Amino acid sequence: MNRRRKGMIAVRQLVYCSIALMAGWMSGSLKAQTIIPVVTSNNALVLEAGKNKDLSVIYFGKKLANEKEYQLVSSVYKQTGDYTDVLNAAYTSSGSRNLVEPAISVVHADGNRSLDLRYVKHEQKQLADGITQYSILLKDPVYDFEVTLHYKVYPHQDVIEQWSVIKHREKGNVVLEKFASANLHLKAKGFWLNQYHGDWAKEMQPEESKITHGIKTIDSKLGTRTNIFQPSVFMVSLNKPATEDEGTVLYGSLAYSGNFRTDLELDYQDNLRIISGINNYASAYNLKPGEEFVTPSFIHLLSSKGKGFASRQLHDWARNYRLLDGKGDRLTLLNNWEATYFDFNESKLKELLRDTKKLGVDLFLLDDGWFANKYPRNDDKAGLGDWAENKSKLPNGVASLVKEATANGVKFGIWVEPEMVNPKSELYEKHPDWVVRQPARQEHYFRNQLVLDLSNPVVQDFVFGVVDNLFTKNPDLAYIKWDCNAVIYNAHSAYLGKQQSHFYIEYMRGLYNVLQRLRAKYPKVPMMLCSGGGGRVDYEALKYFTEYWPSDNTDPLERIFIQWEYSYFYPAIASANHVTDWGKQPIKFRTDVAMMGKLGFDIVVSHLNEKDLAFCQNAIKEYNAFRHLVYQGDQYRLSDPRKGSVASMAFLSKDQSEGVLFNYLVNNRYGEGSVYPVQLKGLDPSAMYTLKELSLYPGVKSSIDTSKQYSGEFLMTVGFNPEVSGSRTSVVLKLEKVK
Ligand code: GLA
């Protein structure tokens, strides 16, 4: 194919032998050495194809002014020798020279298990917004088998998105036994892993430990809601544990909603190899000749300015390039889940619609329990899968509620869980072959339900239809909460026949296919990604969703901690935070915590006393005036709830002219409070600022003196005291630059 037509332009390549640069794919065939610096604003991931054409990672760190010096890096390390020449491979194959954890392992069509991938050529494409995509072709010299490594570089945010495309032209299928997205290699004087674990209502519990020799694996085998026990996001600090503002730290995250696996191997040379991709557990993949196996993306970001800078970079990247409508606005809402659970009818809901207006939020969200007739959805034991309105609860259908909402001047949204089925349902009775189950074994349930087999295209049509029918019947429907409460037990697809090892992968392909179809038809309708709380949130799913539900645990004290940890990886605009009756804190505390993201309520408005209601109404108005800062501003974690009695979080406008600061008491022992000032970050040192307290409970006077002015320097060096105490347990401050 004509090189120009392919749009391949050679922009930068260092070649240390005498051969002219070619336009388009650059071949390494005649060169002794090819160096490919994958460069962001601050960093460089440098690859080298040496004389044997092994593609290696020779440097990953702060970028150097003189690119030629990358070549000198390995010579200044006096670690032990590499017996294989592939210890720092950019994509480690197995069965030939390699002695460590592979990124890929295969069984060729003839039964041979060896693979040796050598550099052939690479290209560099300039995309919009300064984004560059590097693609490097590796081939096995013996077998007609190839892997193309892709590196998409978002220079301004220092984000690198890596994935692989695997292909062959052998005379029969090749079995892929491992097929990672990416393979990194890092050098440092020690590594510290910050990982997360959890369970329902206990999401995102951090754990930091020094990485010891051998392999540490972060993985999930749950099939769906794969993050409930362990999400794929992690951090690795280099040389010493990074803090908020200091140290070198790598953020990693697999953009995939299915089973994932990340191996962190500290090898015998003391270097760290990170291999991330789809979990190969029970998933050997039979790749046909000519078929392309495209892995999900591994997203990573290196910061030499600590965790805070890394997270702000990642937030910017997500809002600009990944999260659906990341640069847009969000709707505040009233949800009826905790207010009614399954116990409601049309007149009760109409009352809640009036309450939605009274409260002053944008939308009413009807939760679980509105559907199914033969086996009515009156609890979580029946009805999932039967998506017709329940006639006794909603005799006039969802349509009449949407109409009523419009008449009240609010929007209407609805809960669905379309991937799931209760055995007690008409769907199960009609299509047992659509259900993920082992026909000869006893069923085992997670929340009394099973998962539908999304590897089957007919089931994909059904799941698409659940949402599509709602929109077709109710064009004014303005919001979807997409839930997914069960994991996969007894993984087996009636549709896949003998190809059962493709099940987990085909399930995810099916899910993404449905989401793509929905987004093609309904590009921007906001959708919340929920999974009994934070069982499913990742940067592939967030291409289709505008927000996620971090946890069913809405106790605000717990939420401070949960939201804090999520905030390292996901921007606040994507965090759906609801004020509920969980926890012992007053409504002000609960509202203040929920305001650090996308605000919603899940309370009985009519049960609020006059003052509580007036407080909420006013807080919503104030939130509407500052929410642009939470959604689009720079987020600074100022005082860590795990390290002291006060938690403090700030959101600042990019131009440093305004901000909002949230402060909470997280320790109720005697005398605890903001004894010391909280140091702000990210301000203009020479500008003068004022601080004013917002979110005041009716009748309460603020102790903050609004007339005082402070320089940015003062606020960042000495700090400001929000006056958090036992009688002021949550304090929201608006910061403004004096004009
Ligand atoms: C899950 C969600 C809740 C609610 C229920 C409904 O648990 O996380 O918010 O929607 O399902 O059954």
Side-chain angles (χ1 to χ4, degrees):
M1 194 194 282
N2 172 307
R3 281 184 200 124
R4 272 185 197 287
R5 241 181 48 221
K6 275 168 136 187
M8 299 166 180
I9 320 150
V11 180
R12 188 210 255 131
Q13 184 196 30
L14 301 179
V15 178
Y16 300 103
C17 67
S18 56
I19 183 162
L21 283 180
M22 297 161 66
W25 280 101
M26 287 170 267
S27 161
S29 55
L30 297 174
K31 299 164 211 152
Q33 237 166 2
T34 304
I35 302 230
I36 309 164
V38 176
V39 180
T40 71
S41 300
N42 292 300
N43 306 316
L45 169 61
V46 185
L47 307 168
E48 178 192 63
K51 58 180 184 319
N52 292 326
K53 304 294 168 222
D54 293 319
L55 187 74
S56 317
V57 179
I58 58 164
Y59 180 75
F60 191 17
K62 258 189 180 176
K63 91 174 166 198
L64 304 177
N66 180 357
E67 287 186 340
K68 285 191 177 163
E69 291 195 321
Y70 292 129
Q71 243 207 328
L72 304 173
V73 173
S74 57
S75 67
V76 294
Y77 284 83
K78 302 292 174 199
Q79 294 163 290
T80 59
D82 174 359
Y83 302 97
T84 62
D85 287 341
V86 288
L87 200 50
N88 59 341
Y91 198 69
T92 312
S93 51
S94 74
S96 50
R97 282 165 295 156
N98 171 50
L99 299 172
V100 290
E101 183 61 32
I104 181 167
S105 72
V106 308
V107 183
H108 293 286
D110 65 2
N112 189 293
R113 306 182 70 93
S114 69
L115 187 66
D116 190 1
L117 293 169
R118 307 287 179 112
Y119 168 85
V120 179
K121 57 184 177 176
H122 75 279
E123 68 165 339
Q124 195 172 326
K125 266 193 265 181
Q126 215 50 55
L127 310 175
D129 241 4
I131 299 165
T132 310
Q133 187 173 317
Y134 300 80
S135 303
I136 306 167
L137 178 66
L138 308 176
K139 275 191 176 176
D140 189 310
V142 176
Y143 283 90
D144 198 345
F145 188 98
E146 65 180 54
V147 177
T148 308
L149 304 181
H150 295 277
Y151 298 76
K152 192 166 175 183
V153 178
Y154 302 83
H156 307 304
Q157 292 82 19
D158 293 314
V159 168
I160 302 179
E161 182 180 354
Q162 267 188 252
W163 71 98
S164 312
V165 179
I166 306 168
K167 208 168 128 182
H168 72 89
R169 284 173 213 83
E170 297 186 18
K171 292 194 181 69
N173 290 354
V174 170
V175 184
L176 305 183
E177 292 192 328
K178 195 173 182 195
F179 30 83
S181 302
N183 185 164
L184 294 176
H185 182 268
L186 297 161
K187 283 181 183 293
K189 291 178 206 140
F191 300 91
W192 282 259
L193 172 66
N194 191 87
Q195 63 180 110
Y196 294 89
H197 68 100
D199 199 342
W200 179 79
K202 278 171 77 72
E203 289 83 353
M204 293 299 276
Q205 310 287 322
E207 246 174 343
E208 187 163 51
S209 53
K210 184 159 201 261
I211 301 181
T212 54
H213 289 83
I215 301 178
K216 168 83 188 178
T217 299
I218 297 174
D219 83 331
S220 175
K221 302 182 183 77
L222 308 183
T224 45
R225 66 172 311 177
T226 50
N227 301 337
I228 180 168
F229 303 141
Q230 191 162 53
S232 76
V233 293
F234 67 92
M235 299 172 198
V236 170
S237 295
L238 281 69
N239 301 312
K240 60 177 185 191
T243 63
E244 208 51 42
D245 300 303
E246 280 177 354
T248 302
V249 61
L250 177 88
Y251 275 38
S253 148
L254 190 74
Y256 191 59
S257 314
N259 292 346
F260 59 83
R261 168 174 171 179
T262 300
D263 295 309
L264 300 115
E265 180 171 21
L266 189 64
D267 67 24
Y268 67 87
Q269 285 190 327
D270 311 325
N271 298 320
L272 186 68
R273 308 174 64 252
I274 301 178
I275 295 173
S276 185
I278 294 179
N279 198 334
N280 55 342
Y281 160 74
S283 295
Y285 191 89
N286 300 300
L287 188 69
K288 293 191 205 111
E291 181 187 346
E292 285 194 344
F293 185 91
V294 182
T295 72
S297 295
F298 177 62
I299 310 238
H300 59 89
L301 163 95
L302 187 72
S303 156
S304 52
K305 287 181 259 178
K307 297 175 179 175
F309 178 70
S311 68
R312 285 184 290 281
Q313 290 284 76
L314 198 54
H315 295 169
D316 277 346
W317 171 81
R319 284 182 299 227
N320 279 297
Y321 304 113
R322 191 51 73 116
L323 172 68
L324 187 77
D325 200 21
K327 299 298 281 178
D329 200 1
R330 293 294 183 270
L331 300 168
T332 54
L333 59 79
L334 177 68
N335 191 186
N336 72 312
W337 174 239
E338 291 187 20
T340 65
Y341 292 104
F342 297 95
D343 181 20
F344 56 80
N345 56 29
E346 190 177 290
S347 67
K348 211 168 183 180
L349 293 179
K350 288 192 170 169
E351 237 173 80
L352 296 182
L353 283 168
R354 286 191 285 278
D355 286 346
T356 308
K357 180 71 186 167
K358 191 162 148 195
L359 189 63
V361 290
D362 303 321
L363 175 134
F364 175 75
L365 170 60
L366 174 58
D367 215 284
D368 197 357
W370 58 268
F371 50 89
N373 288 293
K374 184 171 174 189
Y375 303 105
R377 182 74 172 164
N378 291 330
D379 54 36
D380 63 13
K381 294 187 181 67
L384 263 186
D386 300 346
W387 295 102
E389 290 101 324
N390 179 282
K391 291 206 176 75
S392 63
K393 285 184 194 169
L394 303 179
N396 302 305
V398 169
S400 90
L401 295 171
V402 180
K403 225 169 117 194
E404 181 80 7
T406 314
N408 277 285
V410 293
K411 293 178 195 287
F412 190 87
I414 201 160
W415 178 98
V416 288
E417 194 179 4
E419 295 161 78
M420 302 284 157
V421 62
N422 281 127
K424 225 171 148 188
S425 69
E426 288 183 80
L427 182 71
Y428 184 96
E429 285 175 350
K430 274 193 219 139
H431 299 289
D433 55 324
W434 286 12
V435 179
V436 176
R437 56 199 273 273
Q438 296 278 358
R441 294 187 193 279
Q442 199 183 352
E443 290 175 354
H444 190 74
Y445 307 123
F446 199 105
R447 206 193 189 205
N448 313 304
Q449 64 195 56
L450 292 168
V451 180
L452 291 175
D453 178 9
L454 269 172
S455 73
N456 183 343
V458 179
V459 178
Q460 292 168 26
D461 289 345
F462 170 80
V463 173
F464 170 79
V466 172
V467 179
D468 188 40
N469 291 340
L470 279 168
F471 280 126
T472 310
K473 285 202 214 147
N474 307 288
D476 289 334
L477 196 64
Y479 188 88
I480 298 283
K481 175 176 175 182
W482 180 303
D483 214 336
C484 163
N485 281 300
V487 300
I488 292 178
Y489 296 117
N490 287 313
H492 179 87
S493 155
Y495 172 75
L496 289 173
K498 293 210 164 121
Q499 291 273 54
Q500 292 303 319
S501 65
H502 287 205
F503 169 69
Y504 287 118
I505 293 172
E506 291 299 343
Y507 183 95
M508 277 306 140
R509 287 180 176 168
L511 175 64
Y512 293 142
N513 177 31
V514 169
L515 292 169
Q516 274 155 19
R517 283 170 68 189
L518 282 173
R519 282 314 182 188
K521 202 161 169 189
Y522 310 103
K524 274 211 168 172
V525 180
M527 291 212 296
M528 183 211 284
L529 176 60
C530 179
S531 199
R536 182 191 262 177
V537 51
D538 63 81
Y539 273 124
E540 188 61 23
L542 288 178
K543 280 181 177 171
Y544 308 102
F545 291 87
T546 48
E547 53 228 60
Y548 69 96
W549 183 235
S551 177
D552 277 352
N553 189 340
T554 47
D555 176 326
L557 190 61
E558 295 295 328
R559 269 295 185 118
I560 290 172
F561 290 79
I562 293 174
Q563 291 169 202
W564 188 275
E565 296 303 327
Y566 274 116
S567 81
Y568 286 107
F569 300 94
Y570 301 104
I573 186 173
S575 178
N577 303 338
H578 294 181
V579 176
T580 72
D581 287 329
W582 281 52
K584 298 189 190 79
Q585 289 74 11
I587 190 98
K588 168 174 161 52
F589 193 109
R590 288 180 269 149
T591 308
D592 290 352
V593 173
M595 289 199 292
M596 293 192 294
K598 206 218 81 159
L599 175 66
F601 289 80
D602 195 348
I603 50 171
V604 186
V605 176
S606 59
H607 291 179
L608 294 176
N609 66 37
E610 215 178 295
K611 278 188 165 180
D612 279 2
L613 176 63
F615 164 78
C616 291
Q617 289 167 328
N618 182 56
I620 292 163
K621 280 193 193 118
E622 290 179 343
Y623 173 81
N624 288 341
F626 70 65
R627 72 192 201 194
H628 61 285
L629 297 168
V630 176
Y631 295 171
Q632 302 298 338
D634 284 334
Q635 186 168 9
Y636 290 89
R637 284 170 295 269
L638 305 177
S639 173
D640 187 339
R642 282 190 171 76
K643 293 190 180 139
S645 298
V646 174
S648 192
M649 180 80 90
F651 297 88
L652 295 185
S653 64
K654 297 261 173 208
D655 67 0
Q656 304 168 306
S657 68
E658 53 170 350
V660 56
L661 272 67
F662 297 90
N663 309 276
Y664 310 95
L665 185 67
V666 294
N667 179 350
N668 284 324
R669 293 192 63 193
Y670 177 78
E672 290 299 334
S674 54
V675 179
Y676 301 103
V678 174
Q679 277 101 38
L680 277 69
K681 294 174 186 174
L683 301 178
D684 173 356
S686 56
M688 298 304 290
Y689 292 94
T690 56
L691 287 118
K692 180 183 165 200
E693 186 164 356
L694 300 180
S695 185
L696 285 166
Y697 195 75
V700 173
K701 275 202 147 181
S702 173
S703 56
I704 305 295
D705 182 351
T706 313
S707 65
K708 276 197 186 143
Q709 295 191 1
Y710 305 87
S711 68
E713 182 195 29
F714 182 90
L715 293 172
M716 292 192 290
T717 313
V718 181
F720 182 79
N721 200 316
E723 297 178 21
V724 170
S725 66
S727 56
R728 284 168 56 81
T729 55
S730 76
V731 176
V732 181
L733 300 167
K734 178 79 203 298
L735 174 102
E736 255 162 45
K737 185 168 159 177
V738 180
K739 290 192 182 110

